[in-house]
Amino acid sequence: MLDLVSLGKHFPRRGGAVQALEAIDLSVPAGQFVCVVGASGSGKSTLLSLIAGLAAPTAGEVRLDGAPVTGPGPDRGLVFQQGWVYPWRTVERNVAFGLELLPLPRAERERRVAWYLAETGLTALRHALPKQLSGGQRQRVAIARALACEPDVLLLDEPFGALDVQTKEDMQLLIRRVWQDTGTTVLMVTHDVEEAIFLGQRVIVLASDPGRVAADLPVKLPAERELSVKRLPDFLAMRAQVEDLVRAYHRRHQQKRAI
């Protein structure tokens, strides 16, 4: 269970401070896929940084299975938008990187690398260098590397935002299948409302200035989803609902800044 308890974060600036997040209370049960959306300035990436332990909150705390998060750890995997990988390592050795830091027998490391390469469709590319890969393939490497350590929570920060539409949809299908196969808890930040509804079991809408939970919406769609689900009336209705919420809070943010 991932718990955010009265979580807040401010950043100092001349003459005061910027409140990025305020009083975030959120619980994500083990194995759930949750997507977070919000306009610019709602603190989506800041939220992931706090959960990952890359930054410390100024109020409240992050708890994972009841224990406070005080820094980065192998119990949380993180994938960024650019799919950053080590350019001098092959696909196989990129996926193995985190495992080399864990006290695991060699046979177990090799088993995990082989399994996650197969799971993400990279087995045939295991000896390739990143420069030989497409953007989508590099993102697959980043996801496989994050999952190979078998974290309790996978954190995704706009992971498909830089991809073309076709590759993006392929990656959406991939991450849902991997999530179903592994049972890993997933918390994903995205600006794409359609993507959030297609992938998530819940959609969290953040308001802006400061970032706070404006809505926590269950996604009432079939558990098994193909791209055609995006044309269903229930999907379209939820997309309109979430887009209206994001637009309304963005408008309030703009009006507040204009005062």
Side-chain angles (χ1 to χ4, degrees), residues 98-208:
L99 296 174
E100 295 169 4
L101 307 177
L102 298 179
L104 294 172
R106 180 177 177 178
E108 174 61 12
R109 290 200 300 268
E110 291 176 349
R111 183 197 68 79
R112 289 197 196 183
V113 168
W115 195 88
Y116 285 102
L117 286 173
E119 184 70 7
T120 52
L122 292 169
T123 300
L125 296 168
R126 65 191 306 154
H127 300 304
L129 289 168
K131 66 181 180 181
Q132 299 170 289
L133 306 178
S134 67
Q137 288 167 339
R138 285 193 296 272
Q139 199 63 290
R140 287 173 185 249
V141 175
I143 291 169
R145 182 179 60 198
L147 286 170
C149 292
E150 300 191 344
D152 295 323
V153 180
L154 178 64
L155 304 171
L156 303 173
D157 190 359
E158 303 272 11
F160 312 137
L163 304 177
D164 64 80
V165 173
Q166 183 61 59
T167 305
K168 183 175 186 176
E169 290 188 331
D170 290 344
M171 293 300 295
Q172 289 171 355
L173 293 170
L174 170 80
I175 199 64
R176 270 198 64 88
R177 177 175 56 76
V178 171
W179 164 67
Q180 290 174 321
D181 288 348
T182 62
T184 304
T185 307
V186 179
L187 184 66
M188 176 175 174
V189 159
T190 177
H191 68 277
D192 186 333
V193 170
E194 181 178 276
E195 178 173 79
I197 297 168
F198 178 71
L199 292 176
Q201 294 176 296
R202 291 160 67 192
V203 174
I204 309 298
V205 180
L206 293 185
S208 303

Side-chain angles (χ1 to χ4, degrees), residues 3 13 20 81 84 107 110 128 130 135 150 170 173 196 223 227-228 237:
D3 291 299
R13 71 174 181 184
Q81 179 176 345
W84 187 81
E110 291 176 349
E150 300 191 344
D170 290 344
L173 293 170
L227 294 173
S228 58

Side-chain angles (χ1 to χ4, degrees), residues 10-71:
H10 70 253
F11 296 98
R13 71 174 181 184
R14 184 179 300 177
V18 176
Q19 189 74 32
L21 296 171
E22 182 178 68
I24 301 285
D25 287 295
L26 182 66
S27 292
V28 180
Q32 197 169 69
F33 199 132
V34 176
C35 290
V36 179
V37 299
S40 297
S42 59
K44 302 186 298 295
S45 292
T46 300
L47 183 67
L48 278 199
S49 293
L50 296 178
I51 298 170
L54 300 177
T58 48
E61 64 180 355
V62 178
R63 298 175 187 162
L64 187 55
D65 295 332
V69 168
T70 58

